[in-house]
Amino acid sequence: MTPPRSAPPHAKALALSLLATAVIAALSLWFVSAAILPEMLAERAISPMRQALLSSGVQIGFVAGALASAVLGLPDRLHPGRLFALCAALAGAINATLIVVPVGSGAAIAARIATGALLAGVYPVGMKIAVGWGLRDRGFLVGILVGAVTIGSAVPHLFALGGGTDWRLTVSLASLAALVAAVLALFVGLGPHHATARRFDPTVVGEAWRNRRIRLAFLGYFGHMWELYAMWTWAGAALGASFATLMPEADALFGARLLTFLAVALGGIGCIAGGYVADRIGKETVAIIALAGSLASAVFCAFAFGGPPVIVAAAFLFWGLTIAPDSPQFSALVADFAAPRHAGSIMTLQTALGFALTFVTVQATPVLAGLLGWQAMILLLAAGPALGLVAMVRLRRLMRSQEDG
């Protein structure tokens, strides 16, 4: 086995800085449709089902793209930086077609699905590059990458603030950012621990089910994903509806967009901080703390809905801070528990199933909010971290008992 090659001390910081910036820029494509939805609705009526599909279509595409990439072994055959660059550039170009296709049409939904599929060549490939730069600090490295994903997911709401009523400017800015990401990715170096990823192995389904520690980590991740993308996608709509009860509609929309950006971006900061702490106190402990905070925040947001804007804003900001730091730790835990030859495939399975679940919650959220109200819908989202918290507490007990034994 070839020993890891050495790298200049500054090379790691430079590579991770370029990578994080590229991920932030490329992931600005994910929530474009959610950020500009009010302006699109003002231009043309879109059914609730199509509104949801404009956002959940990205999840559909991502799941399909991630599985296809793993089965075909694309990261094995192509340089990961070049693969990242190609996918980011194509995703930006396809996103730009939203400017010319009919608003809310089947073509627009298809563009969102294709964008999601291409982002599967950005997020997982970025993760692969990041972990190649370290062993003992991988919790922190994964935290940086997921933090960049989180901040990037917030960016379209900032673009929407700058674009004002011109939603096409927001689309253009996100597409341009993806092209910038493609250029940056070409200059990201590979770390001394970089290795080829394994192709998906169907037999890992059995290992993931038989290994109780992996099974519990999966359940924790599913509870996390139940709320995460539904909150990120529809926080702006929920905040806007809450603020509109006490302030003019234009002010409510501006405040909702600004706070959505801040809430999601805070999650990125939480991911980085959580990754740093996880390497010291345990990945499962960080996940438990984040899930408990997210559960409490969601419940408080539900009961505060429609109340004083300052209280609602503070509740959503804390929810945004606590909803994401556990995300990288679930992947790191699975990598710890799985057989080395199956780790990549099991993480692929975990990610694919988790994002498939988000399709259900993102699609159902606006429909159920219309039927039950936003307060009830937010409480339904809180069921996710509650389930995840139970699973992770059980996992920690299992890990402690095995250490004692």
Side-chain angles (χ1 to χ4, degrees), residues 45 82 119 121 124 139 183 197 217 228 311 327 333 338 377:
R82 295 168 191 162
L119 288 177
V183 175
L228 180 66
I311 294 178
S327 189
L333 284 168
M377 185 61 242

Side-chain angles (χ1 to χ4, degrees), residues 215-226:
R215 190 165 71 244
L216 288 171
F218 267 44
L219 288 175
Y221 180 67
F222 295 159
H224 159 76
M225 293 297 279
W226 174 267

Side-chain angles (χ1 to χ4, degrees), residues 86-143:
L86 176 64
C87 290
L90 289 175
I94 290 176
N95 182 72
T97 65
L98 293 175
I99 297 172
V100 296
V101 301
V103 176
S105 64
I109 293 171
R112 300 303 290 150
I113 294 173
T115 298
L118 288 164
L119 288 177
V122 171
Y123 176 15
V125 174
M127 187 89 70
K128 172 182 170 62
I129 296 173
V131 299
W133 281 100
L135 294 176
R136 295 182 179 179
D137 60 346
R138 279 188 172 174
F140 180 53
L141 294 176
V142 176

Side-chain angles (χ1 to χ4, degrees), residues 42-390:
E43 184 173 314
R44 179 181 178 182
I46 307 173
S47 70
M49 179 68 71
R50 285 182 175 271
Q51 291 179 39
L53 280 172
L54 285 169
S55 292
S56 59
V58 181
Q59 272 87 335
I60 298 172
F62 184 88
V63 171
L67 288 176
S69 177
V71 170
L72 296 174
L74 295 183
D76 288 336
R77 300 174 183 176
L78 300 174
H79 185 286
R82 295 168 191 162
L83 177 60
F84 185 121
L86 176 64
C87 290
L90 289 175
I94 290 176
N95 182 72
T97 65
L98 293 175
I99 297 172
V100 296
V101 301
V103 176
S105 64
I109 293 171
R112 300 303 290 150
I113 294 173
T115 298
L118 288 164
L119 288 177
V122 171
Y123 176 15
V125 174
M127 187 89 70
K128 172 182 170 62
I129 296 173
V131 299
W133 281 100
L135 294 176
R136 295 182 179 179
D137 60 346
R138 279 188 172 174
F140 180 53
L141 294 176
V142 176
I144 291 175
L145 195 284
V146 178
V149 170
T150 304
I151 294 172
S153 299
V155 167
H157 296 284
L158 190 62
F159 287 163
L161 283 174
T165 58
D166 185 2
W167 63 265
R168 290 175 176 82
L169 177 58
T170 299
V171 173
S172 299
L173 289 173
S175 295
L176 180 61
L179 296 179
V180 172
V183 175
L184 292 176
L186 294 174
F187 294 93
V188 175
L190 302 181
H193 303 286
H194 175 76
T196 57
R198 296 182 181 275
R199 299 187 187 184
F200 182 73
D201 181 354
T203 63
V204 304
V205 176
E207 181 179 343
W209 176 254
R210 291 189 300 270
N211 188 320
R212 189 182 175 198
R213 293 187 300 175
I214 295 177
R215 190 165 71 244
L216 288 171
F218 267 44
L219 288 175
Y221 180 67
F222 295 159
H224 159 76
M225 293 297 279
W226 174 267
E227 67 164 346
L228 180 66
Y229 276 82
M231 187 275 196
W232 280 359
T233 303
W234 299 112
L239 282 166
S242 179
F243 292 163
T245 62
L246 296 173
M247 63 175 62
E249 184 177 350
D251 293 341
L253 179 59
F254 179 87
R257 280 180 168 161
L258 178 60
L259 283 164
T260 299
F261 165 73
L262 293 174
V264 179
L266 278 174
I269 297 173
C271 282
I272 297 171
Y276 179 81
V277 174
D279 290 326
R280 290 155 177 78
I281 67 173
K283 304 176 185 69
E284 73 286 353
T285 301
V286 169
I288 288 171
I289 294 171
L291 286 165
S294 180
L295 171 60
S297 301
V299 172
F300 187 80
C301 284
F303 286 103
F305 186 89
V310 172
I311 294 178
V312 175
F316 269 85
L317 287 175
F318 191 72
W319 194 9
L321 176 66
T322 57
I323 199 172
D326 49 345
S327 189
Q329 305 314 317
F330 293 117
S331 297
L333 284 168
V334 168
D336 288 345
F337 299 148
R341 67 184 185 280
H342 286 161
S345 295
I346 292 180
M347 284 191 290
T348 298
L349 176 65
Q350 178 192 39
T351 302
L353 292 176
F355 275 91
L357 178 62
T358 67
F359 166 72
V360 177
T361 56
V362 170
Q363 192 72 16
T365 293
V367 178
L368 292 177
L371 293 173
L372 306 175
W374 278 109
Q375 287 180 299
M377 185 61 242
I378 294 172
L379 286 174
L380 286 175
L381 292 180
L387 171 64
L389 184 60
V390 171

